[in-house]
Amino acid sequence: QLQLVESGGGSVQAGGSLRLSCAASGYTSSRYSMGWFRQAPGKEREGVATITTLRTYYDDSVKGRFTIFRDNAKNTLYLEMNSLKPEDTAMYYCAADKRLFITPIQALDRNSYDYWGQGTQVTVSS
């Protein structure tokens, strides 16, 4: 059974940094497309950053501030978030799928992913 468990969320001041982690079990994560999504109250879940075996993809709102990477030896996905803004406040979810996504539209679409974690809250105050 594929399982994803996020951690690392918290409350920070604007301009601060956080690193989110997503521990995967039940499969070899390096073979999967994986991503970070977020959902603010009253809004749809949106793609933030994703990583496949070929490349990474970022939403324009986080380019230059967030970095997605994974440690295959630890079967863990990370999201390094710098220069955080109040509009980054949301529940952040880790997702995975067996398919290889080759376009940004596919890679950042929540409907492309079959496996999800429970989420971790990020709150950025001004």
Side-chain angles (χ1 to χ4, degrees):
Q1 180 70 20
L2 183 67
Q3 289 191 331
L4 303 171
V5 180
E6 303 96 332
S7 61
S11 297
V12 296
Q13 297 270 353
S17 298
L18 282 174
R19 176 180 287 189
L20 305 183
S21 299
C22 173
S25 61
Y27 72 106
T28 302
S29 64
S30 62
R31 300 177 182 176
Y32 283 65
S33 295
M34 298 189 72
W36 289 97
F37 291 74
R38 66 186 179 188
Q39 187 168 17
K43 295 188 176 181
E44 293 188 346
R45 192 171 299 188
E46 62 179 4
V48 175
T50 62
I51 185 168
T52 72
T53 55
L54 297 179
R55 58 164 292 179
T56 56
Y57 299 90
Y58 294 93
D59 184 74
D60 286 344
S61 65
V62 305
K63 281 181 181 176
R65 300 189 298 122
F66 291 10
T67 302
I68 187 171
F69 61 99
R70 54 186 166 188
D71 185 333
N72 293 332
K74 295 182 178 180
N75 229 18
T76 300
L77 178 73
Y78 299 94
L79 184 68
E80 185 75 34
M81 306 187 294
N82 298 314
S83 302
L84 283 162
K85 305 175 181 180
E87 50 263 45
D88 294 319
T89 295
M91 184 72 78
Y92 282 71
Y93 297 90
C94 173
D97 197 88
K98 296 179 181 178
R99 292 169 290 179
L100 173 63
F101 302 125
I102 59 173
T103 68
I105 292 177
Q106 280 181 314
L108 292 171
D109 183 351
R110 66 183 186 276
N111 295 312
S112 297
Y113 294 81
D114 287 338
Y115 303 100
W116 293 86
Q118 82 290 348
T120 186
Q121 178 68 38
V122 171
T123 303
V124 185
S125 57
S126 57

